[in-house]
Amino acid sequence: KNNNVKKQAYHSQSFIGNHVQSMLKDGPIEELTFAAVTITMELVESYDFPLGIAPRARGLQQKYEKLFKLFATCHNLYAHARTMKEEEIAELDEAIRALMVFYRETFPNHTIPIKMHMLEDHVVEWVTRWGFGLGFHGEQGIEEMHAAFNKIYATNGGLNKDKT
């Protein structure tokens, strides 16, 4: 809620790109993952839950905070409509590898969700082929162009078109 995202947005399936952009920053990730620790400590204090669950909650908080931050790094590197230089693509490739290594080591009994497969096996190939972030190929590209046009208009909108 403090990050301009209400949980109703997620549960009503209207969790959109702007919500993702808001939540994939260090502050919101830390706030979201620390909720496990906060709620656990409330249960321990208010309902006499065993104190032994607190370290487990802290471990979960740390695990998911790292996972979300690794994903945020990937997301910020590909979720735009700009051209991407070879160095940026290499940085994206390394970020994806770091995310997937962490995921496999941390969740060894879990399968790889299809979107993570797409990220791991196809995103770098795609941006290398086309030279743009993934936002160029969808609604993000349109939104980014709209923002650019609005900025140009705000800067130049008052110019007299008859004068050269």
Side-chain angles (χ1 to χ4, degrees):
K1 192 172 181 180
N2 297 340
N3 303 297
N4 297 323
V5 178
K6 297 178 179 158
K7 60 181 173 180
Q8 288 85 356
Y10 177 78
H11 293 292
S12 70
Q13 314 209 331
S14 60
F15 196 78
I16 59 171
N18 290 340
H19 296 123
V20 173
Q21 290 295 101
S22 293
M23 291 304 296
L24 287 179
K25 294 180 179 151
D26 284 352
I29 288 172
E30 291 161 8
E31 183 181 329
L32 177 67
T33 57
F34 200 74
V37 175
T38 303
I39 291 169
T40 298
M41 293 315 296
E42 287 174 7
L43 291 171
V44 166
E45 293 168 9
S46 299
Y47 298 99
D48 203 26
F49 273 55
L51 189 57
I53 66 172
R56 181 165 164 76
R58 182 70 175 146
L60 287 171
Q61 180 269 325
Q62 291 170 340
K63 184 186 302 187
Y64 281 97
E65 180 179 325
K66 183 167 184 180
L67 180 70
F68 292 159
K69 285 183 177 182
L70 286 167
F71 175 73
T73 299
C74 297
H75 179 80
N76 291 329
L77 290 168
Y78 70 71
H80 57 77
R82 301 182 310 276
T83 57
M84 291 185 70
K85 298 177 182 156
E86 285 182 36
E87 304 82 43
E88 293 171 301
I89 295 171
E91 183 181 357
L92 171 61
D93 187 39
E94 186 57 38
I96 292 170
R97 289 175 194 275
L99 169 67
M100 296 308 297
V101 165
F102 178 78
Y103 183 83
R104 285 188 174 98
E105 287 175 355
T106 308
F107 305 101
N109 299 321
H110 288 61
T111 59
I112 304 297
I114 188 69
K115 289 184 180 181
M116 287 180 84
H117 161 75
M118 297 296 290
L119 179 65
E120 180 178 35
D121 290 341
H122 303 290
V123 168
V124 171
E125 178 184 344
W126 185 268
V127 291
T128 300
R129 178 177 182 188
W130 295 104
F132 290 92
L134 294 183
F136 182 77
H137 305 279
E139 186 179 340
Q140 289 170 291
I142 295 166
E143 291 299 326
E144 208 162 300
M145 290 303 297
H146 185 245
F149 283 130
N150 283 343
K151 187 175 183 178
I152 291 168
Y153 181 75
T155 304
N156 302 309
L159 296 177
N160 187 341
K161 295 175 184 129
D162 295 331
K163 292 184 179 179
T164 54

